[in-house]
Amino acid sequence: MPVQLEAYHTLLTQLPPQVTLVAVSKTKPVSDILALYREGQRDFGENYVQELLEKQPQLPVDIRWHFIGHLQSNKVKYLAPFVHLIHGVDSFSLLKEIQKQGAKANRRLDCLLQVHIAQEETKFGMNEAEVLQTLSQASFTHVRIKGLMGMGTNGVDEQTQRAEFEGLKTLFDKCRSTETAARSTEIPARDLEIDTLSMGMSGDYLLAIACGSTMVRVGSLLFGGR
Ligand SMILES: *Cc1c(COP(=O)(O)O)cnc(C)c1O
């Protein structure tokens, strides 16, 4: 299936100015990525480290690569030199490895904490207590926590989806006030800069935006089915 250029431009007209579109290109060839790049798209998302490492050198250097899959600690070192944002951080030990590899690469690596909002057991992520604890413990020189990421349950009714997204938005707002509190105590909170809420995919991005998403991750709508 060719790249859906018309769907891409329609989608752009639906995005409020504060919402970033990440085009999810997993399993798709570099030619498809280039086709969207030529339309002006710069943020692309990949799920698999090996696949990303094969594609990245073949593509323009000003692409902002988002890693949206489940990241294993032993693979962080491959992404550290170039990744723009790591969406799926689900443990403090992973953050510590990102800190270590960020220091080696001499970069501060931007991360989102993945929150488990779906009813499905199969999805990864932290619960609310773990998120808040992580924020209060975060003291990093080469990690910056930018916000939260979540995935809703597949194939449920809109009311359930909405409740999941609203729950994530409420937690996001709580995190932002935690950050503000940290700043007001004049402890330098440079490792927190919470402004990104990554939620919404091809099937539910409009609902996610209505619930306060600032970043949508859209794949099949742009690139066709996988
Ligand atoms: C594959 C994937 C997407 C994109 O899904 P579509 O339904 O194809 O838009 C978004 N987020 C994550 C984490 C994914 O794995």
Side-chain angles (χ1 to χ4, degrees), residues 24 26 47 68 149 151 201-202 217-220 226:
V24 176
K26 62 179 175 222
N47 286 59
I68 64 171
M149 178 269 218
M151 284 173 88
M201 315 189 351
S202 291
R217 310 175 308 270
V218 178
S220 43
R226 291 179 295 269

Side-chain angles (χ1 to χ4, degrees), residues 22-26 43-49 52 64-71 79 83 85-89 112 114 124 149-151 198 200-201 215-219 226:
V22 177
V24 176
S25 47
K26 62 179 175 222
D43 293 273
F44 289 90
E46 291 279 343
N47 286 59
Y48 308 103
V49 172
L52 175 52
R64 293 183 287 269
W65 289 107
H66 296 246
F67 191 78
I68 64 171
H70 183 65
L71 183 56
L79 302 185
V83 70
L85 180 62
I86 300 172
H87 288 230
V89 176
L112 303 179
Q114 183 167 357
F124 294 100
M149 178 269 218
M151 284 173 88
S198 169
M201 315 189 351
M215 188 172 274
V216 292
R217 310 175 308 270
V218 178
R226 291 179 295 269

Side-chain angles (χ1 to χ4, degrees), residues 16-205:
Q18 75 278 10
V19 177
T20 301
L21 169 64
V22 177
V24 176
S25 47
K26 62 179 175 222
T27 78
K28 299 296 176 182
V30 293
S31 55
D32 283 5
I33 297 172
L34 270 180
L36 271 198
Y37 179 88
R38 285 194 208 100
E39 302 295 310
Q41 180 65 25
R42 290 295 178 272
D43 293 273
F44 289 90
E46 291 279 343
N47 286 59
Y48 308 103
V49 172
Q50 192 54 42
E51 185 181 344
L52 175 52
L53 293 177
E54 279 163 26
K55 289 173 172 176
Q56 186 263 345
Q58 304 178 53
L59 285 157
V61 293
D62 63 339
I63 286 182
R64 293 183 287 269
W65 289 107
H66 296 246
F67 191 78
I68 64 171
H70 183 65
L71 183 56
Q72 291 169 296
S73 287
N74 60 354
K75 304 246 169 98
V76 175
K77 56 178 177 284
Y78 302 116
L79 302 185
F82 68 90
V83 70
H84 175 68
L85 180 62
I86 300 172
H87 288 230
V89 176
D90 62 356
S91 72
F92 202 77
S93 62
L94 181 56
L95 274 181
K96 286 200 281 193
E97 178 63 17
I98 295 171
Q99 157 72 21
K100 183 175 152 196
Q101 299 302 334
K104 276 193 190 167
N106 199 23
R107 300 181 70 214
R108 190 183 274 269
L109 300 179
D110 285 340
C111 297
L112 303 179
L113 303 181
Q114 183 167 357
V115 184
H116 190 273
I117 56 171
Q119 295 155 353
E120 292 145 286
E121 278 300 323
T122 51
K123 294 202 166 129
F124 294 100
M126 299 181 176
N127 62 30
E128 170 163 345
E130 290 166 333
V131 168
L132 295 174
Q133 194 185 0
T134 300
L135 293 185
S136 70
Q137 289 181 344
S139 176
F140 294 115
T141 53
H142 290 81
V143 167
R144 183 164 42 209
I145 299 175
K146 295 285 287 177
L148 304 179
M149 178 269 218
M151 284 173 88
T153 310
N154 287 325
V156 290
D157 60 285
E158 187 175 315
Q159 215 175 334
T160 308
Q161 271 182 326
R162 180 180 283 276
E164 290 177 350
F165 285 153
E166 285 175 348
L168 186 55
K169 173 65 161 73
T170 303
L171 180 56
F172 177 66
D173 290 339
K174 212 181 254 186
C175 293
R176 291 180 63 127
S177 44
T178 302
E179 180 195 3
T180 311
R183 285 190 195 292
S184 67
T185 58
E186 290 176 25
I187 299 163
R190 282 167 310 172
D191 49 352
L192 305 182
E193 192 179 289
I194 296 174
D195 58 11
T196 305
L197 179 56
S198 169
M199 63 180 190
M201 315 189 351
S202 291
D204 55 18
Y205 69 92

